[in-house]
Amino acid sequence: MSIADRALTSEMASRPDMIQCRGVKKWFGDFQALCGVDLTVKEREVMVVLGPSGSGKSTLIRCINRLEVHQEGQIVVDGVELTNDLRNIEKIRSEVGMVFQLFNLFPHLSVLDNVTLAPIWVRKQPKAQAEIRAMELLERVGIPEQAAKFPGQLSGGQQQRVAIARSLAMNPKIMLFDEPTSALDPEMISEVLDVMKALAADGMTMIVVTHEMGFAREVADRLVFMEAGDVVEVGTPETFFTNPTEERTKLFLSQIL
Amino acid sequence: MSDASVGVQRTVAPEVALPSPGRWIRDNLFSSITNSVQTVVFTVILLGLLRWALGLVFAEDTDWTAVATNMRLLFTYNYPTAQYGRIWVATGTVLAAVGASCGAWNINPGMTVRRLSVSGTGTGAFLLVIGVITPASTPSSIRTWIVIIGTALVLISLTALRIVDKPHRRSVSFASLLVTFGVAVVAFLWLFPFGNYGFTQGAVYAEPGLVAESTRVPWTVLMAIVVSAFFLGRETVRRLGEAGGLIRRSLTVFWVVGPLFLVFLVLRDPAFDMGYVLRVDIPIAAGFVLAGAVLISLLGQPARAELARIVGAVLAAGAVFNWMAGFMGWYPMLQKVRISFALLALLVLLLPTLAGERAARLRLMGLWAVAMVIFHWLITGMNTPSTLEIAAPPFLGGFVLTVTIAYYVMLASFPVGVLLALARTSKLPIFRVLATGYIEVIRGVPLITVLFFFSIMLPLFLPRGMGISDLAAVFAGYAVFSAAYMAENIRGGLQSVRHGQFEAADALGLTTVQRTGLIVLPQALRVSIPNLVGQAIATFKETSLIAIVGGFDLLRIANATIPNQPDFLGQKRPGLLFISLIYFVFAYSMSRASQNLETRLGSARA
Ligand SMILES: Nc1ncnc2c1ncn2[C@@H]1O[C@H](COP(=O)(O)OP(=O)(O)OP(=O)(O)O)[C@@H](O)[C@H]1O
Ligand SMILES: [Mg+2]
């Protein structure tokens, strides 16, 4: 078993790979943000990434949909390797949804238009069909009544749920979450986490960067601990929280728990 | 007010009573000794200035008949009276479009009764002050009218404030303002003894009484057109609901191409040689329509995006080659074929972005066909000798020239400005360098230099056999100049778009063109509106510079043409005052419109 497949149950190990990272390295100028990351995400797996600030969590998941370009190593998403080939990038981006810490909704478009934009322009769906689907998704994240409003008129939690619906509208195979609740007031965090839990229960493949330990414990299939651009430890929630192998993991957990 | 037994009580915001005029004056103008002194001093200064200005307007040696007699000269220069119907039709079309647009977009400036009545009282009081302090040289009839109108305004405004319930909540609809305006104009035309002035066989005549019938009747019809177009536009959009978007889209298209047709209507009456048209012009146009349709149906499918990019690049190279060949004289080719070819290349390049379902492709084909037909009709019409005899040169002048140039300079420099701004912020160094060079060079040169360059030098650089009229040269130069400033204004907006917006668009899989057109530009342009309107106002006013390169615009007519007429020798003052008023009214309306637009867009976002 390769290091990338650590802590997999045999059932999970038998599933196909959705994302493979092999020796991924990334520099910003002289500063190395990723120092050879090896990681495999299986189909329908929920992987939670933890680590101190600046450890490269965002950089890693942003490499997976090519918002950042890695310089060495290999990233294969759903069987397609990420290279400079424009077609591959567009294909992968339309199959990988991403939710940002600051929502990044389009402020000049209504909620409904935010959700239908990509299906209409990227998937070339007819408008009516895209709108029906968008309303279904807004229903799923619990805010169908806000469809006609503009993002600026919504609360943070509502905006983040719209952002999730916007990603789901592309029927992605994989969802990436970069600290989706870090910019939210405490009372809104749970409404977003609930949507994410439902998504996980439906079998979405997800990578979630978060500081919500409760969510990690409850939903994650595996946890990844990163530090200084390296994957330090990979484990199931039980072993990770109760019996971590690495000293650095223990130190980190003692600081946050 | 509301039932106390109801659990949750929603209270209306407390009414802020309007202070009585006396109270207001005491609170704001005489609240302390310094305040009182300032009020008195500045009132005296202001009254002095006002009296001096009125002295200019009503001085004995200010002959206002110079303006009244030359009204047509100021507005349309030497346009032949026999052909004036064309001007009226064109004006009518523009006004109909204005009315319909206001209705279709449901413009509502949201003036409350209170605000309206306060400004009405203010204006009325101001007129009364003028009536009192205006110098003795003012004709007594004018003084009487000023006092009557001032008193009426004050009385009506105060009564409205009194009889309307909750005047600060009740707002006056744009519809009633528009109707009032129309009625006021018509009433003025049919009741006010303005007099009838003009030239017959070079001699001035001035009759007392109403405005000339040839002015009165068309303007009455025009007012009726604006008002009915407004209601028509509003009701159609309201009735059609979803499909109302179609009306708005057609109006937008009208605002882009419509004025081109109107200039055409006013200036030309092409005598088409039907044989030649049938043999050459129509087949060429049909050929391009067909070529576009075939390319759309073959390459417009999402799966063929890659092929479309390649074919588009080849066509673009061909288009560039055609122009080069034109300049070098390698092979002859009709200019319109060259342009159509370039447009075809652009179409194919955009196909990966516009591609879609069968329905989307059909729609695209329709659009392409319409665009080609319009384009070829215009070009063919322009290349055909006109039967309309207009004393040339110059064939266009006065206010019409000012408005036409300003409108088209803005229209033409806008896309160029957008492209330049995008190029200047792009990642590719070659674009960045080219755009920056263009912008900095143009911004470093005075407008008048650019205009001289284009009107005198440009014809020398053109390939043999390709002429350009003075007006077109000036227009081109002005557009080139304006585009550089436009680019800088838009770049400011582009920089204000958050980085996260780019990332979100990328993460959804949008192409760069889609990201730019759907996400980045709409936000950037919104931010740039105040600057763009500022530029529009500057452009409008600076059209007066075309006088220096030979155009007969408002300024030149007021400053040189009228004072040279034997009847009005040396009469510069009334003309200059009058055109200042015109410039002011337009600049001020644009600035108000932009404020409205901002609040509208702002409230959609907030
Ligand atoms: N665009 C960039 N240019 C230069 N350095 C960058 C850039 N983006 C990230 N870095 C650096 O790379 C390192 C990893 O950043 P990253 O955003 O991935 O951290 P993170 O684990 O997500 O931290 P946080 O929990 O604070 O979000 C940091 O030291 C950061 O300063
Ligand atoms: Mg981060």
Side-chain angles (χ1 to χ4, degrees):
Chain A
M1 188 157 67
S2 80
I3 32 171
D5 296 333
R6 284 163 295 193
L8 280 175
T9 62
S10 56
E11 186 274 326
M12 279 244 268
S14 67
R15 293 184 202 163
D17 291 347
M18 281 307 269
I19 300 170
Q20 292 171 319
C21 299
R22 286 188 215 111
V24 175
K25 295 184 184 169
K26 162 85 190 161
W27 285 264
F28 291 108
D30 287 338
F31 175 77
Q32 187 165 11
L34 295 178
C35 316
V37 172
D38 288 304
L39 210 58
T40 308
V41 182
K42 295 288 181 180
E43 197 179 81
R44 283 178 285 126
E45 174 175 7
V46 177
M47 176 176 275
V48 168
V49 182
L50 302 175
S53 179
S55 55
K57 308 181 296 288
S58 300
T59 307
L60 175 66
I61 68 169
R62 288 158 60 83
C63 281
I64 291 173
N65 68 351
R66 201 79 172 175
L67 287 182
E68 301 287 0
V69 178
H70 62 285
Q71 285 115 340
E72 276 182 30
Q74 241 188 344
I75 301 180
V76 180
V77 179
D78 195 19
V80 182
E81 183 178 353
L82 278 174
T83 57
N84 276 328
D85 188 333
L86 208 64
R87 269 173 309 178
N88 282 353
I89 297 173
E90 280 173 12
K91 182 169 183 313
I92 287 172
R93 281 180 175 164
S94 66
E95 293 186 355
V96 179
M98 177 134 182
V99 175
F100 301 86
Q101 182 175 357
L102 296 174
F103 331 134
N104 294 346
L105 291 179
F106 304 129
H108 61 298
L109 299 176
S110 71
V111 165
L112 189 66
D113 291 340
N114 263 281
V115 181
T116 56
L117 182 96
I120 290 175
W121 287 92
V122 180
R123 292 255 190 267
K124 313 284 182 192
Q125 283 177 15
K127 192 163 181 237
Q129 184 192 329
E131 283 182 354
I132 293 173
R133 171 87 179 123
M135 287 312 294
E136 276 169 25
L137 288 168
L138 289 175
E139 202 112 19
R140 190 156 149 201
V141 301
I143 38 175
E145 72 284 352
Q146 312 286 359
K149 288 200 186 160
F150 284 81
Q153 298 168 311
L154 304 185
S155 74
Q158 291 171 327
Q159 292 195 44
Q160 193 60 294
R161 285 186 281 160
V162 173
I164 294 175
R166 178 176 71 177
S167 293
L168 291 178
M170 291 292 284
N171 294 330
K173 294 185 176 159
I174 301 165
M175 288 283 284
L176 308 173
F177 292 85
D178 190 1
E179 306 199 25
T181 56
S182 298
L184 297 178
D185 292 337
E187 70 272 19
M188 293 170 188
I189 290 179
S190 66
E191 64 188 47
V192 172
L193 291 181
D194 286 345
V195 169
M196 290 167 61
K197 284 177 196 166
L199 209 55
D202 285 348
M204 176 66 78
T205 310
M206 295 162 56
I207 301 185
V208 184
V209 177
T210 185
H211 296 301
E212 294 296 323
M213 291 306 149
F215 176 83
R217 211 187 286 260
E218 183 185 337
V219 183
D221 292 309
R222 283 189 297 164
L223 286 152
V224 173
F225 175 64
M226 287 183 72
E227 195 176 72
D230 258 326
V231 171
V232 175
E233 177 153 4
V234 180
T236 58
E238 304 86 64
T239 56
F240 190 91
F241 284 111
T242 54
N243 191 15
T245 44
E246 299 286 329
E247 271 317 304
R248 286 182 288 176
T249 319
K250 285 180 191 158
L251 189 65
F252 175 73
L253 288 175
S254 71
Q255 280 163 351
I256 56 160
L257 287 178
Chain B
M1 203 187 345
S2 65
D3 193 8
S5 65
V6 177
V8 184
Q9 222 179 24
R10 290 184 184 276
T11 47
V12 180
E15 303 227 353
V16 184
L18 199 60
S20 72
R23 174 82 210 224
W24 188 89
I25 288 173
R26 210 169 338 116
D27 286 353
N28 290 282
L29 301 179
F30 298 99
S31 57
S32 65
I33 295 184
T34 16
N35 188 233
S36 313
V37 172
Q38 283 169 353
T39 303
V40 171
V41 170
F42 282 103
T43 312
V44 170
I45 293 179
L46 275 180
L47 287 178
L49 281 174
L50 188 61
R51 170 143 183 139
W52 171 78
L54 288 167
L56 285 182
V57 174
F58 294 115
E60 248 128 46
D61 58 348
T62 308
D63 184 1
W64 281 97
T65 51
V67 167
T69 313
N70 284 300
M71 217 52 127
R72 287 216 163 160
L73 194 73
L74 282 165
F75 277 91
T76 54
Y77 197 56
N78 271 338
Y79 200 80
T81 318
Q83 299 287 346
Y84 228 72
R86 292 164 181 273
I87 299 269
W88 290 126
V89 171
T91 318
T93 316
V94 170
L95 286 182
V98 170
S101 302
C102 290
W105 274 275
N106 203 3
I107 298 280
N108 209 340
M111 284 251 252
T112 61
V113 172
R114 182 159 97 182
R115 227 183 92 200
L116 201 62
S117 119
V118 166
S119 48
T121 317
T123 317
F126 182 68
L127 285 177
L128 285 175
V129 171
I130 288 183
V132 172
I133 68 165
T134 195
S137 55
T138 311
S140 64
S141 67
I142 292 197
R143 191 196 295 266
T144 320
W145 274 104
I146 291 177
V147 172
I148 291 179
I149 295 176
T151 319
L153 264 178
V154 171
L155 287 181
I156 294 174
S157 306
L158 291 181
T159 323
L161 201 55
R162 179 105 349 143
I163 61 172
V164 174
D165 185 36
K166 299 211 185 104
H168 63 295
R169 294 200 178 282
R170 194 70 70 77
S171 70
V172 182
S173 69
F174 181 73
S176 35
L177 287 178
L178 186 69
V179 171
T180 315
F181 174 75
V183 169
V185 170
V186 172
F188 174 83
L189 291 170
W190 293 86
L191 299 176
F192 191 81
F194 182 81
N196 180 2
Y197 307 87
F199 288 103
T200 31
Q201 278 116 38
V204 173
Y205 68 86
E207 296 162 0
L210 296 179
V211 182
E213 192 150 288
S214 56
T215 302
R216 216 183 332 152
V217 177
W219 276 108
T220 308
V221 176
L222 289 180
M223 283 300 125
I225 288 179
V226 183
V227 173
S228 32
F230 171 80
F231 286 107
L232 198 68
R234 198 181 66 177
E235 292 312 308
T236 346
V237 169
R238 195 179 282 173
R239 294 271 154 76
L240 287 182
E242 184 81 342
L246 192 67
I247 308 263
R248 292 184 181 176
R249 241 169 288 147
S250 338
L251 280 168
T252 311
V253 172
F254 171 86
W255 283 115
V256 178
V257 293
L260 209 57
F261 280 92
L262 296 177
V263 173
F264 208 73
L265 168 81
V266 168
L267 294 180
R268 302 187 63 96
D269 187 7
F272 288 116
D273 170 359
M274 278 333 261
Y276 189 76
V277 169
L278 282 177
R279 247 181 314 111
V280 180
D281 296 323
I282 292 185
I284 290 178
F288 276 104
V289 169
L290 201 68
V294 169
L295 286 171
I296 291 170
S297 70
L298 287 183
L299 302 175
Q301 292 158 25
R304 305 251 172 88
E306 205 53 32
L307 191 58
R309 286 197 183 107
I310 295 170
V311 175
V314 172
L315 284 176
V320 172
F321 191 77
N322 277 339
W323 288 98
M324 240 165 65
F327 274 89
M328 303 294 183
W330 289 338
Y331 52 83
M333 191 182 225
L334 285 176
Q335 191 74 341
K336 64 179 175 186
V337 176
R338 263 185 221 128
I339 301 176
S340 311
F341 199 84
L343 290 176
L344 193 67
L346 188 68
L347 172 79
V348 177
L349 280 177
L350 286 177
L351 271 183
T353 300
L354 303 171
E357 297 281 292
R358 211 179 118 77
R361 289 202 299 273
L362 285 177
R363 215 171 325 137
L364 196 58
M365 282 181 205
L367 268 177
W368 170 254
V370 170
M372 274 295 108
V373 168
I374 291 179
F375 172 75
H376 279 265
W377 182 77
L378 276 176
I379 293 278
T380 312
M382 266 184 245
N383 289 340
T384 310
S386 169
T387 53
L388 182 60
E389 287 299 327
I390 295 173
F395 48 96
L396 192 62
F399 182 70
V400 178
L401 176 69
T402 300
V403 170
T404 312
I405 292 272
Y407 189 85
Y408 277 109
V409 164
M410 291 306 288
L411 204 61
S413 57
F414 182 72
V416 181
V418 169
L419 289 180
L420 281 172
L422 289 173
R424 196 171 181 177
T425 50
S426 102
K427 283 201 200 107
L428 299 176
I430 176 76
F431 285 150
R432 229 169 31 226
V433 168
L434 283 177
T436 311
Y438 176 95
I439 292 169
E440 294 307 334
V441 166
I442 294 290
R443 291 207 311 163
V445 177
L447 171 58
I448 192 68
T449 317
V450 178
L451 293 185
F452 269 130
F453 179 85
F454 270 77
S455 67
I456 298 164
M457 306 286 279
L458 184 67
L460 303 180
F461 286 106
L462 288 178
R464 249 173 307 135
M466 196 176 141
I468 184 168
S469 76
D470 287 351
L471 190 68
V474 166
F475 162 75
Y478 203 169
V480 158
F481 179 83
S482 179
Y485 284 85
M486 191 77 91
E488 283 303 274
N489 284 332
I490 293 170
R491 188 166 69 104
L494 284 176
Q495 278 165 345
S496 77
V497 178
R498 299 264 207 92
H499 193 61
Q501 296 290 312
F502 290 79
E503 294 190 339
D506 284 344
L508 286 170
L510 297 184
T511 64
T512 312
V513 176
Q514 288 169 338
R515 183 186 71 196
T516 309
L518 298 169
I519 307 299
V520 179
L521 272 182
Q523 295 184 49
L525 291 179
R526 244 164 238 231
V527 176
S528 324
I529 286 176
N531 288 333
L532 292 181
V533 174
Q535 199 190 340
I537 292 174
T539 305
F540 179 74
K541 290 186 299 186
E542 281 164 18
T543 46
S544 48
L545 282 179
I546 54 187
I548 304 180
V549 287
F552 279 84
D553 80 311
L554 274 180
L555 178 67
R556 180 155 174 198
I557 296 172
N559 191 49
T561 315
I562 297 179
N564 279 332
Q565 291 168 345
D567 296 287
F568 306 113
L569 268 186
Q571 279 295 340
K572 284 192 180 185
R573 201 187 285 162
L576 291 177
L577 285 170
F578 181 70
I579 65 164
S580 308
L581 182 71
I582 295 185
Y583 280 125
F584 171 75
V585 167
F586 270 77
Y588 184 69
S589 320
M590 280 194 253
S591 136
R592 285 309 297 267
S594 111
Q595 283 167 22
N596 273 332
L597 194 63
E598 273 166 63
T599 36
R600 236 174 114 101
L601 294 177
S603 65
R605 249 206 293 193

